[in-house]
Amino acid sequence: MSQDKKKKDAKGKPLKAGIIAFGATAVVYSLIFPPVTLPGILIGAGLSLLVGKVVSIMATDLDLTTHNRQDQAANTLKKDVEELPLTGDEIADGVITKGQEMLRQIRAENDAIPDEGLSKQMDELSQKCVQIFRTVAEKPGKATQIRKFMNYYLPTTLKMLTNYRTMQQRGVSEKDMQEAHATLTRGMDMVLTACQKQLDNLYKDNMLDVSTDIDVLEQMLKRDGFTDSGVAAMAETPKQEARTAAAQQMQQTDVPVLKVPDAASFIAEQQSKKEQN
């Protein structure tokens, strides 16, 4: 939506709210206190004017606050686009510079198309594009990964927006504009999905590095006994060592063995002792 349109709406909405409040107050007052005398009419008019003025002021503050937030968000996005850093890498800097120019054109189309839904989509597109170009600025080697994004997706998006804006300005029939609006909205949704996937692909290497680091960390924790399974294994170790030591001791040859004679041998031995005595 254009800035002029926003300013015009910002001035018109509070005035309408004040007029409605004035009329509503006058009607309610006339029903409660029928203005049959001049003082009554003057009081009713004065009260209605007061209420209308108060509502108008409140609506102005609210409307300006809303537009200030929207303008602040737009200015922040504009600043992000203009402050994309260069790297010194020829390919990466070429991508960033071209991206800055296309984002400026997207912002210009956004200002020229008085459609809140499309404006929101274009703002989201710009935000995602800024993140993509910032990634390239941080890692210039990734510039080649967004070649199709730069050579097809963004130019096609600008073409769609420009065509729609031209149709709108040339007074195309409402039926055709509704169809064009639906088509453009669907196309912008697809572009936003493509931008998100492009951004995700740029960070696949990072995800792989994180997964690898986690696997290594997990193995080290298990080895050092700092996981649940590792702690259980450490608790079992002393028991196992005790069982092993007992088994080894039982196998030693120098351990004395207690021999118990059988009953017949014991009786014969006792009988022999008696005969000797």
Side-chain angles (χ1 to χ4, degrees), residues 95 132 136 142-150 198 202:
V95 168
I132 290 174
V136 172
K142 293 182 178 293
T144 56
Q145 297 182 27
I146 65 171
R147 183 178 293 111
K148 183 179 292 186
F149 174 77
M150 292 293 299
Q198 178 68 78
L202 290 176

Side-chain angles (χ1 to χ4, degrees), residues 66-107:
T66 302
H67 283 290
N68 285 340
R69 290 176 179 174
Q70 294 175 346
D71 291 342
Q72 184 178 6
N75 291 335
T76 299
L77 179 59
K78 179 180 178 181
K79 183 178 179 182
D80 289 341
V81 173
E82 293 176 349
E83 292 184 355
L84 286 171
L86 298 179
T87 66
D89 182 273
E90 183 177 355
I91 297 178
D93 289 348
V95 168
I96 294 172
T97 302
K98 183 178 180 181
Q100 287 175 317
E101 178 58 31
M102 283 194 286
L103 288 181
R104 290 190 187 98
Q105 294 180 44
I106 289 175
R107 190 171 65 248

Side-chain angles (χ1 to χ4, degrees), residues 128-194:
K128 291 183 183 298
C129 289
V130 167
Q131 295 302 319
I132 290 174
F133 296 136
R134 282 197 179 279
T135 302
V136 172
E138 294 169 359
K139 298 183 179 181
K142 293 182 178 293
T144 56
Q145 297 182 27
I146 65 171
R147 183 178 293 111
K148 183 179 292 186
F149 174 77
M150 292 293 299
N151 295 334
Y152 181 74
Y153 293 139
L154 282 186
T156 301
T157 301
L158 288 172
K159 182 180 179 181
M160 290 191 302
L161 293 171
T162 302
N163 287 340
Y164 180 81
R165 188 251 306 160
T166 301
M167 292 173 61
Q168 195 173 55
Q169 292 177 345
R170 299 292 167 80
V172 176
S173 67
E174 183 177 353
K175 180 180 178 181
D176 289 342
M177 286 305 303
Q178 289 178 350
E179 183 178 351
H181 182 275
T183 302
L184 178 58
T185 300
R186 183 169 60 87
M188 289 296 295
D189 284 337
M190 291 190 290
V191 172
L192 288 173
T193 300

